[in-house]
Each structure stands twice: as structure tokens, then as C-alpha cells.
């Protein structure tokens, strides 16, 4: 998985349509030393993979020449929250990023509509809007003048047409020089020029105006998808009240550091991820998790940046800097995910690459064949051929998939369902089996010590020895034992050569005594157990408790039983999967009886006493039964199984989720979110199906009406811009998806 390639990210302005992305992709890929390029229209970004050091200037110039604004992206999140974040750890290669938004001056000058990155500009203030308005006004004026002075009509329309067409033609030329001869701009330019030649100037002008309006509307839609994810970043307040030396001062939220203690008043949004150190309150998490009922939180509970403190005054210790809080990581992840293409998207890209030249050929045949072969009228058939060129614009088709995927990824992220790219989102639809880890996934992962049984020493002695072994471990059971030791004020001696044995337990040497703490079977490999001990373990297991056996000096020294309650929605989440026809299996390293006790209460089949490699093997077995398997786990000791599954899902309950390691992540610890991901995937793929049908269907209809002479040039362009608008509007419906 690791590659020696380095990646550099850029922000790009003025990309509205997926064909823009394709043009930039082609142009940048041609540069030396570039291994891969991925461009996201909705993310307004591009990632370039390169072997050696990257010559930024060449990339900047190449993209600017096509008429787009481009700046090198900072490694942090984009948007207002990021402009002042800590820059110390990013590589700057000599660039001044203080402005954060420098605009590369395009070599092609500034007369085209694409030349600025336009952050936060409302769409009607953009250069593109100005150009569209100017062109529309010129065409309207031409109608007026044409009425008064019929002899001048042709020339005033020509002038109006040029206002819009010159910038389009220039973009067509630049794209052709950069390797994309069959661009939408090229089709437009040929069609408009051809129409002028056959004396259809008035219509050509109308076509150019409609084309510009269509592009403008697409831009508006692309901005909405972008705003939906950027809106998350805006949920974090810009300032925070920090406690410093007994008094509170207001500071910008970006300057908060880990360990700062902030005061959050009732009604305020919480400005950072943190842990409550004083006070308790109902926290409204709806904006961040989609969970509509507020949660009561008190000391030691975690809170997320962007959630609302409704009634009490809270003191919160900050646990993540602004650039690294949950929201910032989610925004960054979604932006990157939007660049990763889905298989359907790749297919459509390939298809449109042959589709456009194909339509050009059909247009040419329609223009020349009937007049040559059947003595048709040249003007009439050239007119039809030109209309077919306009039908050839693949914009609606090319945007059909990425628009829906981008909206789906953004919607998911807003509810805490993170998916790393279109391929993962698309893959969820095909999942037929879900394997769950038990501890921390189906259970809350916060086991509590319930019973301590001591043999030959007292309970505190057992606890002290166990805690000594667990000191370095982050396993949920270790945390439970350390908590109990602390509560019981048991003295915890240091352990020597302590090490964790994945799926079995921990061992080490404490005060010169070799000790082990872990599962029954693992303890059984080390020492012989008495019948009474075995019965004691069995009866605790039967109550759904996990038992870890303490071995010291070659004998069983004690038993520690812990109970980890299932997550409140675990049973409902599994039922939801079954309702979708998906098989659910629980995989656990815990013993059979405990597993059965918990599985029975959840209605899931269970496989128990598994080592990490067994979990991986079982995932493989399910796959060889022809199932598409998703594996849900906390990643602590099930990483091999997560990697082996078709989709690996990390599940957590806070800022500590291993977002970066799995294919997908469930941020808020809800088991039913697995089924939600599947449903979201199905909704997105259905949406894509509708989009492709509309895009191709409208074209098919207009192809027929054009050839039979019912419709002409401007309905032909409407078929593309209209379809594009319909397709994007349809995709944007996914932003309101509720599951
Ligand atoms: P799960 O599959 O539920 O995540 P693990 O594979 O992590 O469980 O562990 C399997 C069993 O090994 C546990 O039920 C426990 O008995 C024992 N074990 C593993 N790690 C530890 C530890 N750090 N302390 C005590 N017992 C442990
Ligand atoms: Mg585990």
C-alpha cells in the first residue's frame, strides 16, 4: 500500500463541470515527473502525485493557462477556520502562504471568466456571472437595434455573440493545446461559428447565452456541494474563553492548545474537542452527529467542537488543536475522498472520451451525407449537423456520477458516516455480510470490573499485580482494571519486560515474579487449573462476563471478571442489517459462553475464542462463500481482519477513532450506522442511475427531433445545459438524505 510517491495539493477556482476536471487532469498529467493526478470539482481541489520534488510553478502555469485560478493548498482544512492555523509543520518550499490565497497570474492574461480563485464570493459576484450578464444584455440590445435598423441586425448580433464566444474559443484553444481537443468549448465554438456562416447569427447568439447561463447554474450547484461540507467547519465558533491565571480571556479558537481549559457558557457552541473537567449540561450534538436528542454530559465525558452547550456552565480541557479536531479531520477527509473516483465515475469518464468524438463524427455525417447522397439542402443539413454538435456536449453525463457521490459523501460525513472515496461509497451497496468485533464495537468498550476472585492472596493483591501488568496497555480490559485499581487505592508496582500478546493477554515480571494475565485458554496453556477454578470461570462467563485469569509464579493467583454492556442500539442495528438482507456475525477473542450470552441478547451469530489471525481467516471464509464482507472493529487487535475485508470500518465513540486507517469510519459509535451506510450507498447509486438516464435520455430525444427537423440549435444546447441542471439538482437532493 505504501508508495514512494509524494503528493501535493492545490486549490482550484472556476471549475464547475466535470469536463473542467478532465481537461485539467489531461493538461497536468502531460508535465514531466507527474505520476498521477486527481481533481475534484466539488472539492475545488487537485492532488498531484510525483516521484521527485515538484516544480510547482509549472503546474500553476499549466492550469492557469487553461483559465482556472490555482493556489497551492495548505495541508490544513480550507475555509475561514483554516486561514490562521499553525503553519509550523507544513512544507512551504519557499512560498509565502501568509495570504493563504495568492492567485497565480495566468500566462493567458485575464480576459477569460475563469481566472480567479473566488473564495466566499457569492456566485452572482463572480466574473462568470458578469460575463453571462454582459453577453445576455448585448444579445437583448441586439434584438432592439435589429428591430429599429433591420439592415444592421446581422452585425449587432455578431458583436453580441463575440462578447460571449471569444472567451469560450480561447478556452477551447488552450484545452486543445493541453491535450483535450474535443472539449465542450470546442463543440460550442465550432457550432456557433458554423451557425454564423449559414446565416443563423441570431440563433448562434442565443446558443452562446444559454450555454453561459447553463455553466453559471452548474457552478451554483457545485458551490452548494462544497458549501455543505465547508458548512461543517463553520460550526466551530471563531473565539473561545480560556482560563488563564484565575481569569478568563477571549482568544481566537485557532490559538487553543491541547491542555488549555476553556469556559463554555450555556447557549454557546463548544469551540474545541475536549473533556469536561467541571460542570454538567445537556449537549445538543445534532449539527455534528445528526442525533436529535441532547445528551447529558458531565465530568470526564468528551465533547466535540461545534456542538451546543444548552444549560450548564462547563469547563472543558482541550484535547485537540483547531486544525486537528474532529470536524477539521472530517472536512479534510471528505475533500480528499471526493477526489478518489468511484468505478462508475471512471467508466463514465472513459465513455465520454469516446462519446464526444463519436457525436462529432455523426454531426459531420449528418451535415454532408444527405446533401451529397440524396440532394438535400446544404443549409438545412449543415444546420442540423451543428445542432448535433451541441447535443454532443457530455457535461450532464460527466457530472452525473461525481455530483451524486460528492453529495453522498458530504451527507454521510455530516451524520458521522465517513467513507474514503467514491469506490467505498459505491461498494457498500454490494455488502452481504457484516462481521463485528465484540469489544468496543458491539459493546460500549468500557468494561467494568465486577468480581475479583483471589487464590492464595487478597483481592487487593490480585488487583495490584494485574494493574502492574496492564500499565502500558490501551486494551479496554486494561483500562477497566487500572480504573478499579485506582478506585481501590491498590499500590501498583512497576512491571519489567511487560508485553501484550494480541488476542491473549499481557505478561511481564513484577517484583521478580513472572506473571501473566489473560484469557482462560491462554492461561490454560501456561498452568493447570483446578476443577473449582474452571467452574468459577464458567459461572461468571454464563452471566455474560469476560474473565481474565491472573497467573503468578506458575499458579493461578486470581480471576478478574468484567462486564462490558452492549451499545444501546446494538440489537436494533443488527436487526436493521437483517432487514436489508445482510448477514451479521460477531467475532471475538472472548470465551464461548460470554460470547453466546451477549450474542443471544443481540440476535447475532457468534464465533468465539478467536485470535486476530482467526478473525482474518473467517473474513476470508465468508468471502469464499461468495459474500461481500464488511468488517467493523475498533482496530485495536483486529487490523488484519479489517484489511482483509472488502470494506473495513473503524468504529469509535469520539476523537480517538482511527479515521486514517480504515476504508470507512463510524464516528459516533452507533451500530445502526452500518445499515445507514448501506442505505446511503443504495440511495446514491439509484440517484446516479436516474442522472445517467436523464442525461442520455434527453440527448436521445433531441437527437431524433433535430434530425427530423422539429427542433433546432437552441433546444439542442438546452438539452445539455438543462440536463446538467436537472442532474445536479437531483444529486443535491442527496444533501437532504436522512436515512
Ligand atoms: P475482542 O475480540 O473481544 O476484541 P481480544 O481479542 O482483544 O477480544 O481479547 C481476547 C481475550 O483475551 C479477552 O477476552 C481477554 O480475556 C484476553 N485479553 C486480551 N488482552 C487482554 C488484556 N490486556 N488484559 C486482560 N485480558 C486480555
Ligand atoms: Mg478488540
Amino acid at each position: 500500500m505504501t508508495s514512494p510517491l509524494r503528493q501535493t495539493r492545490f486549490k482550484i477556482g472556476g471549475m464547475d463541470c466535470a469536463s473542467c476536471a478532465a481537461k485539467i487532469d489531461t493538461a497536468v498529467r502531460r508535465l514531466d515527473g507527474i505520476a498521477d493526478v486527481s481533481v475534484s470539482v466539488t472539492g475545488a481541489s487537485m492532488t498531484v502525485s510525483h516521484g521527485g520534488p515538484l516544480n510547482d510553478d509549472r503546474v500553476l502555469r499549466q492550469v492557469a493557462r487553461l483559465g482556472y485560478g490555482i493556489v497551492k493548498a495548505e495541508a490544513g482544512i480550507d475555509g475561514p477556520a483554516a486561514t490562521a492555523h499553525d503553519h509550523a509543520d507544513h512544507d512551504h518550499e519557499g512560498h509565502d502562504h501568509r495570504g493563504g490565497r495568492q492567485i497565480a497570474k495566468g500566462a493567458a492574461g485575464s480576459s477569460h471568466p475563469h481566472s480567479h480563485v473566488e473564495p466566499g464570493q457569492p456566485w452572482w459576484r463572480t466574473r462568470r456571472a458578469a460575463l453571462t450578464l454582459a453577453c445576455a444584455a448585448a444579445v437583448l440590445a441586439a434584438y432592439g437595434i435589429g428591430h429599429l435598423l433591420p439592415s444592421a441586425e446581422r452585425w449587432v448580433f455578431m458583436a453580441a455573440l463575440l462578447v460571449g464566444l471569444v472567451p469560450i474559443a480561447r478556452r477551447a484553444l488552450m484545452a486543445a493545446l493541453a491535450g483535450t481537443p474535443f472539449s465542450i468549448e470546442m463543440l460550442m465554438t465550432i457550432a456557433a461559428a458554423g451557425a454564423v456562416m449559414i446565416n443563423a447569427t441570431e440563433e448562434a447568439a442565443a446558443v452562446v447565452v444559454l450555454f453561459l447561463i447553463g455553466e453559471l447554474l452548474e457552478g451554483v450547484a457545485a458551490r452548494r456541494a462544497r458549501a455543505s461540507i465547508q458548512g461543517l467547519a463553520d460550526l466551530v465558533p471563531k473565539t473561545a474563553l480560556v482560563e488563564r491565571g484565575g481569569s478568563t480571556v477571549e482568544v481566537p479558537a485557532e490559538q487553543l492548545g491541547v491542555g488549555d481549559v476553556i469556559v463554555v457558557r450555556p447557549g454557546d457552541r463548544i469551540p474545541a474537542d475536549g473533556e469536561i473537567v467541571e460542570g454538567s449540561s445537556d449537549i445538543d450534538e445534532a449539527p455534528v452527529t445528526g442525533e436529535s436528542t441532547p445528551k447529558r454530559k458531565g465530568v470526564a465525558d468528551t465533547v466535540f467542537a461545534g456542538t451546543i452547550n444548552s444549560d450548564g456552565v462547563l469547563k472543558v480541557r482541550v484535547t485537540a488543536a483547531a486544525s486537528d479536531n474532529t470536524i477539521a479531520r472530517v472536512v479534510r477527509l471528505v475533500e480528499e475522498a471526493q477526489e478518489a473516483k468511484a468505478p462508475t465515475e471512471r467508466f463514465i469518464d472513459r465513455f465520454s472520451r469516446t462519446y464526444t468524438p463519436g457525436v462529432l463524427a455523426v454531426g459531420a455525417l449528418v451535415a454532408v451525407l444527405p446533401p451529397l447522397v440524396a440532394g438535400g439542402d446544404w443549409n438545412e443539413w449543415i444546420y442540423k449537423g451543428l445542432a448535433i454538435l451541441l447535443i454532443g456536449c457530455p457535461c450532464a453525463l460527466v457530472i452525473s456520477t461525481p455530483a451524486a457521490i460528492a453529495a453522498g459523501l458530504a451527507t454521510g460525513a455530516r451524520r458521522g458516516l465517513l467513507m474514503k472515496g467514491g469506490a467505498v461509497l459505491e461498494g457498500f451497496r454490494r455488502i452481504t455480510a457484516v462481521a463485528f468485533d465484540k469489544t468496543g464495537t458491539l459493546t460500549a468498550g468500557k468494561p467494568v470490573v465486577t468480581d475479583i476472585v483471589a487464590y492464595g492472596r487478597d483481592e487487593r493483591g490480585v488487583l495490584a499485580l494485574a494493574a502492574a501488568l496492564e500499565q502500558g496497555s490501551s486494551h479496554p480490559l486494561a483500562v477497566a482494571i487500572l480504573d478499579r485499581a485506582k478506585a481501590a487505592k491498590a499500590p501498583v508496582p512497576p512491571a519489567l519486560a511487560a508485553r501484550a500478546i494480541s488476542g491473549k493477554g499481557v505478561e511481564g515480571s513484577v517484583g521478580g515474579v513472572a506473571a501473566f494475565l489473560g484469557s482462560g485458554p491462554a492461561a490454560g496453556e501456561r498452568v493447570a487449573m483446578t476443577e473449582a477454578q474452571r467452574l468459577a470461570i464458567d459461572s461468571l462467563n454464563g452471566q455474560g462476563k469476560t474473565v481474565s485469569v491472573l497467573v503468578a509464579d506458575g499458579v493461578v493467583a486470581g480471576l478478574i471478571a468484567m462486564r462490558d454492556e452492549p451499545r444501546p442500539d446494538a440489537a436494533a442495528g443488527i436487526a436493521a442489517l437483517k432487514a436489508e438482507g445482510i448477514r451479521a456475525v460477531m467475532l471475538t477473542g472472548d470465551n464461548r459462553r460470554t460470547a453466546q450470552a451477549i450474542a443471544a441478547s443481540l440476535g447475532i451469530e457468534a464465533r468465539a475464542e478467536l485470535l486476530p489471525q482467526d478473525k482474518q481467516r473467517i473474513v476470508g471464509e465468508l468471502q469464499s462463500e461468495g459474500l461481500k464482507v464488511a468488517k467493523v472493529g475498533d482496530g485495536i487487535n483486529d487490523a488484519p481482519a479489517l484489511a482483509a475485508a472488502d470494506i473495513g470500518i473503524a468504529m469509535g465513540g469520539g476523537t480517538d477513532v482511527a479515521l486514517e486507517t480504515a476504508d470507512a469510519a463510524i464516528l459516533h459509535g452507533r451500530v445502526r450506522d452500518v445499515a445507514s451506510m448501506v442505505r446511503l450507498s443504495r440511495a446514491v447509486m439509484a440517484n446516479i442511475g436516474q442522472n445517467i438516464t436523464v442525461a442520455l435520455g434527453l440527448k436521445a430525444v433531441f437527437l431524433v427531433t433535430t434530425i427530423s427537423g422539429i427542433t433546432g440549435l437552441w433546444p439542442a444546447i438546452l438539452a445539455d445545459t438543462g440536463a446538467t441542471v436537472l442532474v445536479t439538482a437531483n444529486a443535491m437532493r442527496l444533501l437532504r438524505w436522512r436515512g
Side-chain angles (χ1 to χ4, degrees), residues 437 439 470 473 475 477 503-505 519 546 548 588-590 615 637:
D437 204 32
T439 313
E470 297 283 24
S473 170
H475 198 282
L477 296 179
K504 291 186 172 172
S519 69
T546 300
S548 287
T588 180
D590 212 342
K615 296 180 183 178
N637 53 21

Side-chain angles (χ1 to χ4, degrees), residues 254-275:
E254 298 106 10
Q255 286 175 14
L256 289 175
V258 173
D260 280 346
V261 173
I262 52 175
V263 178
V264 188
R265 296 163 304 191
D268 282 355
R269 273 186 198 279
I270 298 171
D273 283 358
E275 191 182 298

